[in-house]
Amino acid sequence: MSNTSNLVCRCEEITEEEVLSAIASGAGSVTWVKRFTRAGMGLCQGGVCGRLVANVVRQRTGAAPEFVLPDSRRPPVRPIPISILADAYDGHESPTGLLPDDDSDVRLIKAQPKPQFQSTVKADVVVIGAGALGCAIAYYLAKKGQKNVVVVDKGAPGCEQSGRNPGGIRMLGRHPLELPLGLESAGIWPFLGDELGEDLQYYEMGYLWVASNEEEAEYQAKVAKTQQDSGVNVEFLDGAEIRRRFPAVSSHIVGGVHCPSDAQVYCVKAVKGLVAAAKRRGVAFYNDTTVTGFEFSAGRLFAIITDRGRIEAPVAVLAAGPWSAPLAEKLGVRLPIYACPNQMMVTEPLPPVVKPLVLSTHAVCLQRVDGNVIIGNTNLPGLSGFSKRTLLPEMIRSAKFISEVVPLLRKANIIRSWVGTIDFSEDDVLIMGELGVPGVFVSCGGSGHAFALTPGIGKVMAELIMDSRPSVYIGNLSLKRFAQDRRTVSGAHFAHQPHDRDKRTA
């Protein structure tokens, strides 16, 4: 018998015991073990530990060797200084338009045959999508007393954007319609890890939204005033005060909004904790299960059809990110959301550079508690689609703009990149509530900022489904707002696509 305390991944100091725990939580491949544990996220990108993890997965799951392969490396194959990328910027924007759905550069793996349900599965509620939102909805349903909850996902828990984001929890710049959910969630996050029995690595480091010119500073001052009036702990700082508190920030920054209570968690540990806690309360998870249709009886939902069989249930929740749109189409409803590939990259572990998450009009960086700095963009360049292919122009663009905000990062090495698929709504605001089809609910369109709302969404959706009396008002977030001839954005906020800001502010 092996010693489970043995190190499997030396770069991230991951033991076999942690790998086994991830498998017990639903990670059935090297890719998902990597997300649940960070094994393979170090400098060698799994070059050493990949086969060790694959062996553990095969031994524990009984899968044939050809179905369990080490994860492939992501660009850059070797560490590269940010300065080299930044200096390659020539002023051109990244490619725009629809990118093909091509995941071949992530990993090449054969599709393992799917076992069919032995008989029709019966449930009270089926949650479609095992990301953070879907897992939270299932957990809070079970916590509230719902006895028979099933979660289905085309992949595995946290395999899409919930396992590919920086884990930021922000109130700074939160859209006014999302503020009630934001406040609810902010009160839950500090204690959620203890409740779930999982160390979420919760850390209050703050958010700092910086302005590069007076026009941006004027807009941010408006944001700060709006949020202060709503009870959010934010402050507007001039450039001198920013440099006094955060010396790593560039001297050309003229001002910014600071929210010291904003925080971060490790996103995958949040999903892992929600899955484990939901399972302890009786929730069933069916991975690698694709929903193909719906059945109705007497005008109400009766069953969900999957590629593994039928699940009879009177209630379903669409929480599948951008994949919720084609599911809604099967129900005759148009969901105004679209998929967008959002690229991130990460540095080697660094000494403390800057404490808060720093974001500008074009870039964002967050130094995690382990020292790695995550770098991405905010003003997305008009990309759409489901591709997870790393784009060199996007790496160059992010390196250029973040090094202008935090110049010290020019000296750091990028060791890895990845892409997550964001589901943007047409107005950059979450969609949640009833879908307009009896028995069907929806929670999607988070537009890159819904992970922070995870516990609030889970709690409120459970209340809505079970007794129709949510403790937080979410009426303005419903799908009905898109049928109304009015602007949905009231007041200033931070938008992930600020080039559309003139269309979004009242």
Side-chain angles (χ1 to χ4, degrees):
M1 179 178 293
S2 64
N3 183 354
T4 58
S5 64
N6 289 337
L7 283 178
V8 173
C9 172
R10 295 189 179 278
C11 292
E12 296 293 327
E13 298 184 345
I14 305 301
T15 65
E16 184 177 345
E17 182 179 9
E18 292 174 278
V19 173
L20 293 173
S21 174
I23 294 171
S25 297
S29 71
V30 176
T31 300
W32 311 137
V33 168
K34 175 180 176 179
R35 289 192 172 85
F36 276 9
T37 66
R38 296 185 59 82
M41 291 190 179
L43 285 170
C44 77
Q45 290 204 49
V48 176
C49 67
R51 294 189 181 279
L52 294 175
V53 173
N55 286 335
V56 175
V57 173
R58 284 196 293 265
Q59 292 168 6
R60 183 50 60 105
T61 65
E66 62 266 28
F67 296 128
V68 184
L69 303 176
D71 210 21
S72 60
R73 296 185 180 186
R74 295 300 303 245
V77 176
R78 294 183 178 84
I80 182 172
I82 288 179
S83 60
I84 291 179
L85 291 170
D87 292 344
Y89 184 73
D90 59 5
H92 291 91
E93 288 295 328
S94 298
T96 60
L98 179 66
L99 294 178
D101 185 3
D102 183 358
D103 202 19
S104 60
D105 65 326
V106 180
R107 59 186 179 125
L108 299 173
I109 185 168
K110 295 181 179 180
Q112 189 167 4
K114 299 180 182 180
Q116 295 293 300
F117 298 145
Q118 293 183 352
S119 61
T120 297
V121 176
K122 296 183 182 294
D124 294 321
V125 181
V126 174
V127 180
I128 304 172
L133 303 191
C135 292
I137 292 168
Y139 168 70
Y140 279 97
L141 281 168
K143 181 180 178 182
K144 194 171 170 60
Q146 185 63 259
K147 297 299 183 182
N148 194 355
V149 180
V150 167
V151 180
V152 299
D153 194 281
K154 64 178 180 55
C159 66
E160 293 293 347
Q161 58 184 321
S162 295
R164 301 171 185 261
N165 71 78
I169 302 169
R170 71 171 172 90
M171 289 300 294
L172 182 148
R174 177 66 61 183
H175 189 283
L177 298 185
E178 295 177 351
L179 273 177
L181 270 180
L183 291 168
E184 181 75 17
S185 298
I188 297 173
W189 274 117
F191 314 102
L192 186 60
D194 290 339
E195 180 178 328
L196 301 179
E198 181 78 36
D199 179 11
L200 306 186
Q201 297 181 5
Y202 178 86
Y203 173 52
E204 289 188 2
M205 77 298 175
Y207 266 54
L208 177 66
W209 178 18
V210 298
S212 299
N213 54 57
E214 293 299 336
E215 181 182 2
E216 290 180 358
E218 181 180 349
Y219 184 81
Q220 290 178 4
K222 178 183 177 183
V223 171
K225 178 64 167 62
T226 300
Q227 293 209 283
Q228 288 167 353
D229 291 345
S230 300
V232 180
N233 177 28
V234 298
E235 54 185 345
F236 182 80
L237 308 176
D238 62 25
E241 182 62 16
I242 287 176
R243 283 183 287 281
R244 187 184 72 80
R245 297 196 200 182
F246 314 110
V249 175
S250 172
S251 60
H252 82 270
I253 296 301
V254 301
V257 185
H258 180 228
C259 184
S261 57
D262 282 345
Q264 63 172 289
V265 298
Y266 185 25
C267 61
V268 180
K269 285 186 175 291
V271 175
K272 180 174 178 287
L274 286 166
V275 171
K279 285 183 174 181
R280 289 195 295 270
R281 292 180 178 269
V283 176
F285 284 78
Y286 293 98
N287 299 340
D288 196 25
T289 302
T290 301
V291 174
T292 59
F294 301 88
E295 287 183 9
F296 287 79
S297 177
R300 186 178 178 87
L301 181 69
F302 179 73
I304 292 87
I305 312 304
T306 79
D307 59 356
R308 295 179 58 192
R310 296 170 73 254
I311 305 175
E312 290 184 0
V315 176
V317 185
L318 307 187
W323 293 271
S324 298
L327 291 173
E329 286 183 9
K330 296 178 184 296
L331 297 165
V333 177
R334 175 185 173 270
L335 273 178
I337 62 175
Y338 63 94
C340 174
N342 188 35
Q343 187 166 299
M344 310 293 289
M345 51 191 186
V346 63
T347 73
E348 62 196 332
L350 301 174
V353 177
V354 62
K355 182 179 179 180
L357 179 148
V358 179
L359 57 93
S360 70
T361 300
H362 295 287
V364 58
C365 71
L366 166 65
Q367 185 162 27
R368 288 188 40 77
V369 293
D370 50 24
N372 299 94
V373 178
I374 299 174
I375 296 169
N377 60 59
T378 52
N379 186 355
L380 301 172
L383 294 172
S384 61
F386 294 87
S387 174
K388 294 184 175 63
R389 183 182 298 278
T390 295
L391 298 176
L392 178 59
E394 269 296 272
M395 294 180 70
I396 291 172
R397 180 176 176 270
S398 296
K400 165 67 174 177
F401 287 117
I402 201 60
S403 61
E404 290 180 348
V405 177
V406 186
L408 284 175
L409 290 177
R410 284 180 59 87
K411 302 177 182 178
N413 289 321
I414 296 296
I415 61 171
R416 188 165 47 86
S417 67
W418 70 90
V419 177
T421 306
I422 294 177
D423 54 329
F424 275 98
S425 70
E426 290 183 354
D427 62 2
D428 202 47
V429 179
L430 176 71
I431 301 170
M432 65 181 292
E434 297 179 5
L435 184 69
V437 176
V440 184
F441 298 80
V442 65
S443 178
C444 67
S447 305
H449 46 75
F451 176 80
L453 305 176
T454 292
I457 289 173
K459 176 175 179 287
V460 172
M461 286 294 291
E463 293 168 345
L464 177 65
I465 291 167
M466 293 187 68
D467 53 32
S468 302
R469 293 193 303 274
S471 55
V472 175
Y473 179 69
I474 59 170
N476 289 331
L477 297 175
S478 77
L479 184 60
K480 294 179 181 178
R481 72 180 188 263
F482 293 96
Q484 299 172 354
D485 186 20
R486 64 180 179 84
R487 296 175 185 264
T488 62
V489 176
S490 55
H493 72 293
F494 170 75
H496 284 255
Q497 296 174 300
H499 54 275
D500 287 337
R501 183 182 293 143
D502 59 329
K503 301 177 184 178
R504 304 178 181 197
T505 50

